[in-house]
Amino acid sequence: MASPSTSNLSPKLLLMSLLLGSFVVASVGNLYQDFDLTWGDGRAKILNNGQLLTLSLDKASGSGFQSKNEYLFGKIDMQLKLVPGNSAGTVTAYYLSSQGPTHDEIDFEFLGNLSGDPYILHTNVFSQGKGNREQQFYLWFDPTADFHTYSILWNPQRIIFSVDGTPIREFKNSESIGVPFPKNQPMRIYSSLWNADDWATRGGLVKTDWSQAPFTASYRNFNANACVWSSGSSSCSSTSPSSTSTNSGWYSQELDSTSQERMKWVQKNYMIYNYCTDTKRFPQGLSPECTATTTS
């Protein structure tokens, strides 16, 4: 039976409504419906009737979750509040990934630090198993004091990382110059809180202070405006996938001039590492997308 909100629509409008509805595969709502708690022996919890998810880390174990759905393109938003206080040695990872030796992956990782020192936001893009595309940033706020929105926009032309709606990084599709781009492997959302004190803080010099445990990161307001992959096919129309753009524009979205200026501001003032300028690490030459200036 049609719902009251659609029962009076013409057949054409009803079809359009149903089609558009299929692309909004998750809305701000119940985290029980969107995620499975995958490891941590009870250290991962969904609370407040599905409105809040927390991950905890102690000396025995960290914890993690993953999305029930796989996606092939979409705009993914999640609000996070990171481990407060002395978080040195801890890593909170939030990323999209496929499986297998030639996997694709789009990463946010938050590297903890001593009290008063800034978190490092680490980003990376893997395509067909190859990564080494790290860019790192400080944040312009305290990410432990309140929730902030971390977003990944992934469409066939580009990947855009954003924080509270401000773009910080763009990785463009550069297949025309031989750079693989994630476009064929559906990816799940994963997140974990774990101990990485062998490398996370000052290259491993600062170790985790277990007297501060348990460490806790919090998540809320997940939203996925995306194409769900199920049983070998996408929820988005293969003949006209851009029809999803009438919903929010994400499938063909690119940075306008204002967004480009905001991203340049972030990169000028808060970027602390860029693989595209690290000639010592890559003496054989930088990646083609770096010299072609097709990645930011």
Side-chain angles (χ1 to χ4, degrees):
M1 179 181 294
S3 67
S5 61
T6 60
S7 57
N8 296 323
L9 295 176
S10 69
K12 184 176 181 180
L13 287 175
L14 177 59
L15 177 61
M16 186 178 296
S17 171
L18 292 172
L19 281 171
L20 290 178
S22 71
F23 303 126
V24 188
V25 299
S27 57
V28 175
N30 196 315
L31 295 168
Y32 284 112
Q33 297 173 357
D34 299 312
F35 296 103
D36 291 319
L37 307 179
T38 47
W39 64 284
D41 294 325
R43 291 173 179 83
K45 297 175 181 175
I46 297 178
L47 307 167
N48 299 354
N49 295 315
Q51 300 304 301
L52 179 70
L53 192 157
T54 61
L55 296 182
S56 290
L57 163 69
D58 57 35
K59 198 166 187 177
S61 178
S63 51
F65 65 87
Q66 69 182 44
S67 62
K68 294 180 185 292
N69 287 322
E70 290 183 290
Y71 306 96
L72 188 63
F73 305 126
K75 185 176 186 295
I76 310 294
D77 305 308
M78 179 75 92
Q79 291 193 329
L80 279 74
K81 183 163 68 171
L82 300 179
V83 174
N86 181 2
S87 58
T90 71
V91 172
T92 305
Y94 178 69
Y95 59 102
L96 287 159
S97 183
S98 62
Q99 298 298 309
T102 58
H103 78 292
D104 295 337
E105 190 172 319
I106 305 169
D107 291 341
F108 276 121
E109 290 186 280
F110 303 89
L111 313 185
N113 216 331
L114 296 168
S115 298
D117 289 342
Y119 261 82
I120 292 174
L121 171 52
H122 173 104
T123 66
N124 203 354
V125 176
F126 286 74
S127 187
Q128 297 181 17
K130 182 184 181 299
N132 295 332
R133 298 187 178 100
E134 299 91 347
Q135 291 183 354
Q136 294 183 336
F137 305 83
Y138 288 142
L139 293 165
W140 49 97
F141 52 83
D142 178 357
T144 73
D146 203 350
F147 286 89
H148 292 269
T149 303
Y150 302 90
S151 305
I152 294 170
L153 185 144
W154 170 37
N155 66 31
Q157 296 82 36
R158 57 189 41 84
I159 295 163
I160 300 171
F161 297 78
S162 299
V163 178
D164 287 339
T166 294
I168 64 170
R169 175 179 184 177
E170 180 181 29
F171 182 82
K172 292 183 180 178
N173 184 331
S174 301
E175 289 178 306
S176 61
I177 56 172
V179 179
F181 184 83
K183 67 172 189 179
N184 296 315
Q185 300 186 65
M187 295 197 265
R188 228 177 266 280
I189 300 165
Y190 297 88
S191 189
S192 58
L193 174 58
W194 50 291
N195 177 44
D197 67 4
D198 56 334
W199 65 270
T201 306
R202 294 183 59 199
L205 293 176
V206 181
K207 300 301 183 182
T208 303
D209 180 359
W210 293 112
S211 71
Q212 304 296 310
F215 303 97
T216 301
S218 303
Y219 303 74
R220 72 180 187 189
N221 289 352
F222 168 71
N223 190 70
N225 188 0
C227 302
V228 172
W229 187 265
S230 179
S231 302
S233 64
S234 170
S235 64
C236 296
S237 166
S238 59
T239 56
S240 181
S242 61
S243 63
T244 60
S245 65
T246 56
N247 190 32
S248 71
W250 64 264
Y251 195 88
S252 57
Q253 184 173 334
E254 56 188 60
L255 294 177
D256 60 21
S257 57
T258 301
S259 296
Q260 289 176 12
E261 288 303 313
R262 292 168 73 195
M263 184 172 69
K264 287 177 183 176
W265 174 82
V266 171
Q267 294 182 351
K268 178 182 177 182
N269 293 284
Y270 295 98
M271 180 185 281
I272 58 171
Y273 177 79
N274 183 1
Y275 77 107
C276 275
T277 60
D278 194 345
T279 53
K280 289 184 178 179
R281 181 182 174 196
F282 302 107
Q284 74 281 11
L286 299 172
S287 292
E289 72 271 16
C290 297
T291 52
T293 65
T294 53
T295 187
S296 298

